[in-house]
Amino acid sequence: MSGVVVQNIPRAAPAVIKGLAEAGVATVHEAQGRTGLLASHIRPIQQGVAVAGSAVTILAPPGDNWMLHVAIEQLREGDILVLGVTAPSDAGYFGDLLATSAMARGCRGLVIDAGVRDVADLRAMGFPVWSKAVSAQGTVNETLGSVNVPVICAGALVNPGDVVVADDDGVCVVAREAAEAVLKKARARIAAEEEKRRRLAAGELGLDMYDMRGRLAAKGLKYV
Amino acid sequence: MSGVVVQNIPRAAPAVIKGLAEAGVATVHEAQGRTGLLASHIRPIQQGVAVAGSAVTILAPPGDNWMLHVAIEQLREGDILVLGVTAPSDAGYFGDLLATSAMARGCRGLVIDAGVRDVADLRAMGFPVWSKAVSAQGTVNETLGSVNVPVICAGALVNPGDVVVADDDGVCVVAREAAEAVLKKARARIAAEEEKRRRLAAGELGLDMYDMRGRLAAKGLKYV
Amino acid sequence: MSGVVVQNIPRAAPAVIKGLAEAGVATVHEAQGRTGLLASHIRPIQQGVAVAGSAVTILAPPGDNWMLHVAIEQLREGDILVLGVTAPSDAGYFGDLLATSAMARGCRGLVIDAGVRDVADLRAMGFPVWSKAVSAQGTVNETLGSVNVPVICAGALVNPGDVVVADDDGVCVVAREAAEAVLKKARARIAAEEEKRRRLAAGELGLDMYDMRGRLAAKGLKYV
Amino acid sequence: MSGVVVQNIPRAAPAVIKGLAEAGVATVHEAQGRTGLLASHIRPIQQGVAVAGSAVTILAPPGDNWMLHVAIEQLREGDILVLGVTAPSDAGYFGDLLATSAMARGCRGLVIDAGVRDVADLRAMGFPVWSKAVSAQGTVNETLGSVNVPVICAGALVNPGDVVVADDDGVCVVAREAAEAVLKKARARIAAEEEKRRRLAAGELGLDMYDMRGRLAAKGLKYV
Amino acid sequence: MSGVVVQNIPRAAPAVIKGLAEAGVATVHEAQGRTGLLASHIRPIQQGVAVAGSAVTILAPPGDNWMLHVAIEQLREGDILVLGVTAPSDAGYFGDLLATSAMARGCRGLVIDAGVRDVADLRAMGFPVWSKAVSAQGTVNETLGSVNVPVICAGALVNPGDVVVADDDGVCVVAREAAEAVLKKARARIAAEEEKRRRLAAGELGLDMYDMRGRLAAKGLKYV
Amino acid sequence: MSGVVVQNIPRAAPAVIKGLAEAGVATVHEAQGRTGLLASHIRPIQQGVAVAGSAVTILAPPGDNWMLHVAIEQLREGDILVLGVTAPSDAGYFGDLLATSAMARGCRGLVIDAGVRDVADLRAMGFPVWSKAVSAQGTVNETLGSVNVPVICAGALVNPGDVVVADDDGVCVVAREAAEAVLKKARARIAAEEEKRRRLAAGELGLDMYDMRGRLAAKGLKYV
């Protein structure tokens, strides 16, 4: 699967993607049955940014960022770059020049199971990144990888065109075909939570609201 | 010790707790003989917040946040939830709904040797958290733990009612019975440091102020 | 090499040091052939600060900060303290009192392959730190180390008087003798990047600008 | 995909599986273009065992080994259990009772991105395991997962029926459909290596045998 | 609690300790309700050794092994040294000389949340060790700790005189007062497992033996 | 310093090297003032082997083992290959073919701050390795590094021709110029330890033998 660039990938509807961004990572993760979460070592370099977009995927060798240059040509407005590696690397695959280029193509952000650099510039440019590391370590352009093939990024399978949702909690991926259904469930969940939040804020206990006392007692919980 | 909720725990005097919050983690840790510090993998999700409160402790199974619901009922104004696990977990035990409920009961914060989610909301709500991880990963409600029993959290023993001090440096726990004495020592330390700070800022060297030169020479330090 | 303080060390020219600070870590690292980078576990406790200075080096035992007191006497305006350890430690070697003293001597910051404490104070004072950990854990003054000897800090060799460049990307060290030449290369690189940035922002692809298509095809990249 | 057991999965031909076991992990990984390798945190609990078998896959919640009981019913002679988790866990999912049961069904081993226990017994029984951790920590039977669905195990995608190759170097997975072709390439590689080994043992240099000197000189390598 | 040596500690009955050693870590951990397990980063330096003994506890500063010398005087036949640290350290606190001395006092082994050295000698002498690291790094004798006070070792609370059980699966601690009751439960468990092992070896499925099918179906498990 | 091969390096006398191997890592590390130890993440792939040899050093890019081929030509009887990386990598740089070649040139072993593969073969061949990881992951031959320049390997500076001592405790490097003096001290240490071992084995306490009681009491140690 190495050395391949898939050029035309299907994407989810913009309104669905927008809705998933608003729902956020935790809600989307729950709405799709607690799947699709990237490992918690993927952290945002900024604070307070929540986005969603279509995955343009990259499978890259360790310490080699050549395929990022190739992937940028495949970007469309609203895409998010997702880079998985064939072997672990903390090197700085991505910096302000690549971000300038990606933004010029409409890219909304980067999720990378490796390192990035120029993070002060990236924050100043408003280009959000979720990465495994921050490192100035340079990379080479020697070995082919692939673009828009299925990749595993931080333990999650990402297919090109899947919807990537990212915020301060981390990153969740939603299969493109399921995106609309997941959004529907996420919205139902949000609506239900609104009422719960109001009741909890008023002092009602979760023990009562969720009707947990009986089951706790049945399991043997003792108050002393 | 599993499946037990201790309902009425003694707490330290509010004025003592307030004084320990003002002293801060590093000073309190020193004042009680360098004990009580939680491991440095516990990090704040916010910046610039310093609090202290009485520990309502939770012993929870990995990936199961049921006991948090139980613990919230035990909260009183000024308490801090402290959650230790029976086996390691990075899952997101706590989010904005539980924080809403805890805040409604007067809770001042959470210290957790596991993960939390909805961190953007938690920061916006002003609910401070010190955690091992940030993760959207959901938890289950299947296995009992205990509330207000002694727990080990990030390598430190916390008894219910102990004073928990937390700031940007991390978290320190003070035994309830010792809290007043520790505060006294902390204040003495702060007073002494004020004078030292003034002298150091004026250019005096620690080598002279602490009278270190003789002992360094005796150990064999050579200037070349 | 233990128990030695070298008192007079040569330093690079202030204008060169200033130029390297402006170039930043990633550019300097590239300009000197991708060497001198400290490991990515060294992270800033603040955001948005970029500095450079002459290294006053410290070789310290684990959990013992005695040599920091000794090193402060050796500081001159524009220096940066660089502390390497003889064995791993996350303890809090440095806090607000030492920072007060170091600032009074003109010190610009600290790079430490161990922990620091009082980080809220350090941020408020404007004293920048790059460290391995944040920990309130106190240290002792029992065992000698050395000051201004060559040290390995986070996997990089630092000689006293070397130029230390630090920003949000991490830390890079430049040999004093090479500093002027590296600055020249860094400036050439910056000038070249300016033009590239303009072209990429205008939508030109890196694939074309860097003339990568032929070599990619030769390696066998296939578009499907 | 949770709560599903796929009962009849296709498997590769026994002779192909046997051949891949003989080739070993490093050779198979190379023969299929350096793909399919599980992360290096997966380590054998024994030494000197090399096996291959058809993957019966398990997707399991953290700290919950219920699906292992379900999976054992699906085992046939020559299978290897492969367990991936929905969130990280080091708990001891598997011990001597499950191994007894799995061996009675013809199972050749276990690859698990979590912990195992009773390792002294497992070694004595000759049941090989490649795991992320050794831990006596018990697990629960509360939450469904799935059996024989595609799983990500230690960063690698494993489909049910894929050929799993495991030895002291770690674990590599070969897609069932590709297994015969990969074996052919692996055997060609082994044959070629035999001659190389003979020449190198006789003192010939890789620099000459692989004809590297020209390319090294072209890249600028200097002998001083 | 620093600077204290408790000289006469109660111990469990030798026959109970012997029984717990035979039961092993996993069984003892289960028999006492899944508590008392040390974190899985504690690993044996040898293979195939299973012991139990009374804990002589040590609370030691990072990189300082002075209290080990003090503790050895407190050893009696059948004791196990258990060392917890006041801050993390991987240094080599213990080697062949201390082992010689400890063996001369009847010590059965060492459990240490830090490093050891001379491991080839320790294995040759038959002195078993469970440690966090192997490191030749020397330690100092400068700062007091305590002996036979409650310590936290690898996340578990160990009181002096508690029974420490250690084998290839790791280490479990049993409260002295509970030791006899735990042994009784452990033996019941072993007896029950013997019958289960026989049935599983004969090909019976855990699904049937544990009567899991109904509950799995009720939770919604689907066979396809 | 990249792209350079230093061809003729001085080496220590064979008898000195042999003596250091017999002294072992812990003793040599102490004899030279507790310096030169590699970080404890470097572990042997075999058990019970103790060697020493002259360092032929390699500075290699991440995931690129080209320089190993170059280094083998520089080997002489009794050398040990020492590989440091310019950025972290766990890839399998070295396997049975390179070991065959190195052994044919008289090489005694490999110390590598990265991964190795074919470890079953390496153990069978009797070629000892101390590495950071075991991984089958292949490497490329694309980027130059250097041979026989000073390298930092696992946090320690190694100059070409330095004496590398390695056993089950890890790896220690001795400066070539200091090797004879260090050996002398190591032998004195061994002689002194022999007598101590005899006395400790006879039941004498370290507290008495090292005359520690007075200093402990002076520090405030209390027996209760």
Side-chain angles (χ1 to χ4, degrees), chain D residues 102-143:
Chain D
M103 286 183 87
R105 311 286 293 187
C107 183
R108 283 189 193 152
L110 167 71
V111 175
I112 178 167
D113 197 8
V116 292
R117 61 185 187 180
D118 303 329
V119 293
D121 294 326
L122 297 176
R123 285 191 281 253
M125 294 164 69
F127 186 85
V129 173
W130 287 256
S131 74
K132 180 186 171 198
V134 171
S135 168
Q137 177 67 40
T139 51
V140 296
N141 289 339
E142 297 289 355
T143 307

Side-chain angles (χ1 to χ4, degrees), chain A residues 58-92:
Chain A
I58 302 161
L59 184 62
D64 192 314
N65 79 343
W66 212 2
M67 287 302 112
L68 268 163
H69 295 277
V70 173
I72 284 174
E73 189 177 23
Q74 305 305 320
L75 287 170
R76 294 197 197 159
E77 181 70 37
D79 285 348
I80 290 182
L81 290 163
V82 177
L83 186 146
V85 285
T86 58
S89 174
D90 280 0

Side-chain angles (χ1 to χ4, degrees), chain A residues 141-155:
Chain A
N141 290 339
E142 297 288 356
T143 307
L144 294 187
S146 288
V147 171
N148 281 334
V149 297
V151 300
I152 292 170
C153 183

Side-chain angles (χ1 to χ4, degrees), chain B:
Chain B
M1 196 123 46
S2 206
V4 173
V5 182
V6 178
Q7 285 183 283
N8 292 299
I9 59 167
R11 287 161 172 89
V16 171
I17 295 172
K18 186 162 176 285
L20 289 169
E22 288 161 4
V25 169
T27 297
V28 167
H29 156 69
E30 292 287 348
Q32 71 177 342
R34 300 193 168 176
T35 60
L37 207 59
L38 275 66
S40 63
H41 68 250
I42 298 293
R43 299 298 305 139
I45 65 164
Q46 67 289 320
Q47 212 170 82
V49 176
V51 297
S54 301
V56 166
T57 64
I58 304 161
L59 184 61
D64 192 314
N65 79 343
W66 213 1
M67 287 302 112
L68 268 162
H69 295 277
V70 174
I72 284 174
E73 189 177 21
Q74 306 304 320
L75 286 170
R76 295 196 195 158
E77 182 70 36
D79 285 348
I80 291 182
L81 290 163
V82 177
L83 186 146
V85 286
T86 59
S89 174
D90 281 359
Y93 281 67
F94 188 92
D96 80 310
L97 285 183
L98 280 167
T100 299
S101 184
M103 286 183 87
R105 313 284 294 186
C107 183
R108 284 190 192 151
L110 167 71
V111 174
I112 178 167
D113 198 7
V116 293
R117 61 184 188 179
D118 303 328
V119 292
D121 294 325
L122 297 176
R123 285 190 282 250
M125 295 163 70
F127 186 85
V129 173
W130 287 258
S131 74
K132 181 185 170 198
V134 172
S135 168
Q137 178 67 40
T139 51
V140 296
N141 290 340
E142 298 288 355
T143 307
L144 295 186
S146 288
V147 171
N148 280 336
V149 298
V151 300
I152 292 170
C153 182
L157 180 67
V158 185
N159 283 295
D162 282 353
V163 185
V164 173
V165 188
D167 61 21
D168 287 358
D169 283 349
V171 182
C172 189
V173 59
V174 180
R176 184 181 53 81
E177 302 82 358
E180 194 164 354
V182 170
L183 175 58
K184 207 169 162 183
K185 283 186 196 163
R187 282 185 172 152
R189 197 175 166 89
I190 290 168
E193 286 197 346
E194 203 43 62
E195 168 67 7
K196 287 180 197 166
R197 191 174 293 108
R198 200 190 49 71
R199 287 166 66 182
L200 293 170
E204 191 172 343
L205 285 168
L207 288 179
D208 299 314
M209 193 175 79
Y210 298 115
D211 199 16
M212 287 171 164
R213 292 189 195 272
R215 204 166 147 253
L216 283 163
K219 288 257 184 177
L221 188 68
K222 283 192 191 66
Y223 285 81
V224 296

Side-chain angles (χ1 to χ4, degrees), chain D residues 82-94:
Chain D
V82 178
L83 187 147
V85 286
T86 60
S89 174
D90 280 0
Y93 282 67
F94 188 93

Side-chain angles (χ1 to χ4, degrees), chain E residues 21 45 62 69 117-118 121 129 160 167 180-181 198:
Chain E
I45 64 164
H69 295 277
R117 61 185 188 180
D118 302 330
D121 293 326
V129 173
D167 61 22
E180 194 163 354
R198 201 193 46 75

Side-chain angles (χ1 to χ4, degrees), chain A residues 2-8 45-46 66-67 69-70 72-74 90 96-98 100-101 104-105 116-121 123 133-146, chain C residues 25-27 29-30 34 37-38 40-43 46-48 168-170 189 193-194 196-198 200-210 212-213 215-216 219-224:
Chain A
S2 206
V4 173
V5 183
V6 178
Q7 285 182 283
N8 292 299
I45 63 163
Q46 66 289 320
W66 212 2
M67 287 302 112
H69 295 277
V70 173
I72 284 174
E73 189 177 23
Q74 305 305 320
D90 280 0
D96 81 310
L97 286 183
L98 280 166
T100 300
S101 184
R105 311 285 294 187
V116 292
R117 60 185 189 180
D118 303 328
V119 292
D121 294 325
R123 286 191 280 252
V134 171
S135 168
Q137 177 68 41
T139 51
V140 297
N141 290 339
E142 297 288 356
T143 307
L144 294 187
S146 288
Chain C
V25 169
T27 297
H29 156 70
E30 291 287 348
R34 300 191 167 179
L37 210 58
L38 275 66
S40 63
H41 67 250
I42 298 293
R43 298 298 306 141
Q46 66 288 319
Q47 213 171 81
D168 287 358
D169 284 347
R189 198 174 166 90
E193 285 196 348
E194 204 41 64
K196 287 181 196 166
R197 190 173 294 107
R198 201 190 48 72
L200 293 170
E204 191 172 343
L205 286 167
L207 288 178
D208 299 315
M209 193 175 79
Y210 298 113
M212 287 172 164
R213 292 190 195 271
R215 204 167 146 250
L216 284 163
K219 288 257 184 176
L221 189 68
K222 284 193 190 62
Y223 285 80
V224 296

